[in-house]
Structure formats: structure tokens, C-alpha cells
Amino acid sequence: SHGNKEVFSCRGILLAVQWFWDRGHKDITVFVPSWRKEQPRPDVLITDQYILRDLEKKKILVFTPSRRVGGKRVVCYDDRFIVKLAHESDGVVVSNDTYRDLQSERPEWKKFIEERLLMYSFVNDK
């Protein structure tokens, strides 16, 4: 949302990480699809892509798997990575996704998602 739905803003990810870091949260994991490492296309713009690699080097960001099959990109369902790790580590999910489909997938995830989902908004860089 930092890119106003026009671009994928890596700076927005960094701002969110920094916000939690400044408040003493050091166990932070960001999941991003691995295709975000690729050269951006005109219809899928991305800004400050170097931030992703910097966060990966600091072991804060994890790229979820994707591959090409017959010229088409096949991506994993990264929502499952997010909810599974947060649940196992007693964490919080920071997302505007409601994960409705995953709430019915595993009973223990339903209560977790209801109670540990932190939705957000950006106002410029805040």
C-alpha cells in the first residue's frame, strides 16, 4: 500500500520493518515472492529493489519459491508461509489480507488470525 497500488514499494517494507525494530521487536520476518527479484515489467513496477536484497542479507526477508513452467510463472501460496510461521512463533501477522481461506484450513489458525492480525495504513512515510 505504500506505493499507492501503482508500484510495489520496497521502501514501504523497510519503513514497516524499521517501525517495529525501533520499538524493540527484533524477530521480524518479511515474506516476498521470489519473482520480485526479477527485472520489473512496465505493468508490474517495483521501486528501490535493492532494499529487498539488503533485508535478505540481514536475514529479515525471505523470498518464497517460484519457478517457470512452460514460460509461465508458478508461485507458491505465500500466505500459508506467513500464517504458519507467525502461529508457530507466537507472532503477529502485519497485513491487510484477512486470510479467510486459511481460517477454515486449520482450526487453530482461525483463532490466531482473528486475534493476531495487525492491519495497517501508510500516511506518506508513516
Side-chain angles (χ1 to χ4, degrees), residues 47-96:
T47 58
D48 301 318
Q49 206 169 17
Y50 70 92
I51 291 171
L52 301 181
R53 295 208 192 280
D54 290 348
L55 290 173
E56 182 183 33
K57 286 178 190 169
K58 293 176 182 171
K59 301 200 181 301
I60 293 173
L61 184 141
V62 175
F63 286 104
T64 57
S66 68
R67 60 192 170 112
R68 289 206 172 268
V69 176
K72 292 185 179 183
R73 181 183 298 124
V74 177
V75 297
C76 71
Y77 188 50
D78 54 359
D79 288 0
R80 194 170 285 113
F81 281 84
I82 294 164
V83 173
K84 185 175 188 302
L85 177 65
H87 181 261
E88 289 174 354
S89 61
D90 197 31
V92 172
V93 174
V94 179
S95 177
N96 287 335

Side-chain angles (χ1 to χ4, degrees), residues 1-5 7 9-13 15 120 122 124-126:
S1 67
H2 185 260
N4 293 324
K5 299 182 180 177
V7 300
S9 170
C10 300
R11 180 167 164 67
I13 292 172
L15 290 167
Y120 66 91
F122 276 102
N124 298 314
D125 282 349
K126 296 186 187 303

